[in-house]
Amino acid sequence: MMVRSACEEAEEFRDHVARWVDERLVPVAQDIDEEGDFQHALTRELAGLGYIGTLYPAETGGAGLENPNLCFAILCEELARGSMGFAAGICMQGSTATYTIQEWGNAHLRETYLLPALRGEKIGAFAITEPNAGSDAGSLRTRATRVDGGWVLRGSKMFTTNGTVADFITVVASVDPDKGARALEMFVVDTKSEGFRVGQKLDKFSVRSSDTAELVFDDVFVPDDHALSSETGSGFLNAYRSLTVDRIFTAALAVGNARSAYDAALRHSRERSQFGRPVGNFQAIQFRLVDIHARITTAALHTYHAAQMADKGQEITIEAAAAKLVAGEECHRACHEAMSVFGGYGLMREYPAQVHLRDSYFPMIGGGTNDIMRKVIAGQLGL
Ligand SMILES: Cc1cc2nc3c(=O)[nH]c(=O)nc-3n(C[C@H](O)[C@H](O)[C@H](O)COP(=O)(O)OP(=O)(O)OC[C@H]3O[C@@H](n4cnc5c(N)ncnc54)[C@H](O)[C@@H]3O)c2cc1C
């Protein structure tokens, strides 16, 4: 199934990506889920086709599209239809990890990290979450201390997507832990820097082929020109802005994954016969498929609406959070219902229903949990 947006550019773009997904990603999706490793070759291939720069203007090496947010959402959706794990890594590479440099980086940072990332030659990550600071991002303890010619970073980060394979990481750190969120700044850390190490690669049951790591910064020197925000206090607002846009793309991941769950359930309902007829002939199964379809349509429309508002430069705090909340929950329910269409086969590893259900948890957590989305929206509504 597919819900089309009302944008011609985005739908043409979708048709191209969808072909790549069907030919290159779908056939290996199950294997890469089992392997649980970052896919370098596929990432480079996708970059070679120009897709990683979807969000950016031509002047900074991007695709120069008229509707970049909607097209990037559709890229995330289509990739997630093939493999949400793979899509999550690309989503990070083509949005938050590079967005921070594209928006607030100088020419040197763009040359050294952004352009190679868009070509798939360097991998990027974004690290705000810490072992003791998740939803409460303002309480993070990674410290940036001023030294001659730059900063020294000390602390650790948790759940960093692309963390073990990253060549550069935008790290959010505090220049004064007593001042809370107002003292946060962003720094681009080259992972070749002395003092940086991967604490551990994390083993997950969801989005297995996206790389997730705990990272350690043990007095890592970061030169002045690698600081992304010059004025103290702008770091948190900039990080917040990046995370807000990113919610739209996480919503799109949920939509793509659920579409794949629907397609598989529909196929199964036609192929599997009981009581002398396909199970899809039973009204109970039909109603379930209709509910799944309606849930995905709702999720997709929320996502496209938020993306189109972003493309018009409109304020999207509520819409982006609502898109992620609605898409996360509706698509999770859709995957749960799709699983039931398979009966016992749904529990078997060789059937994709269990991957869809496992992966459907990620959009309800990555970029902020569902209840944090509710908290964001409540705040915006003045509650
Ligand atoms: C696969 C994966 C990839 C990720 N990738 C990245 C990444 O690349 N970079 C990065 O920085 N982070 C990343 N994250 C981290 C993610 O953003 C956090 O996991 C998320 O924000 C929740 O934080 P937490 O896990 O510490 O949960 P906690 O904050 O400990 O939350 C626990 C529970 O308490 C609830 N809760 C907390 N505070 C409130 C409140 N005020 N009101 C109501 N309920 C509340 C939460 O909703 C949740 O149910 C990733 C996470 C995962 C699982």
Side-chain angles (χ1 to χ4, degrees), residues 33 38 67 69 100 164 190 218 225 246 255 271 292 308 368:
D33 176 72
F38 185 87
N67 303 277
N69 288 282
T100 47
T164 79
D190 195 305
D218 200 356
D225 64 359
D246 192 59
V255 173
E271 288 164 3
I292 296 170
Q308 282 179 302

Side-chain angles (χ1 to χ4, degrees), residues 197-215:
R197 69 186 161 84
V198 173
Q200 59 171 321
K201 177 176 168 167
L202 301 165
D203 191 14
K204 315 183 293 299
F205 81 85
S206 183
V207 283
R208 284 182 48 74
S209 54
S210 86
D211 179 85
T212 312
E214 183 179 2
L215 307 175

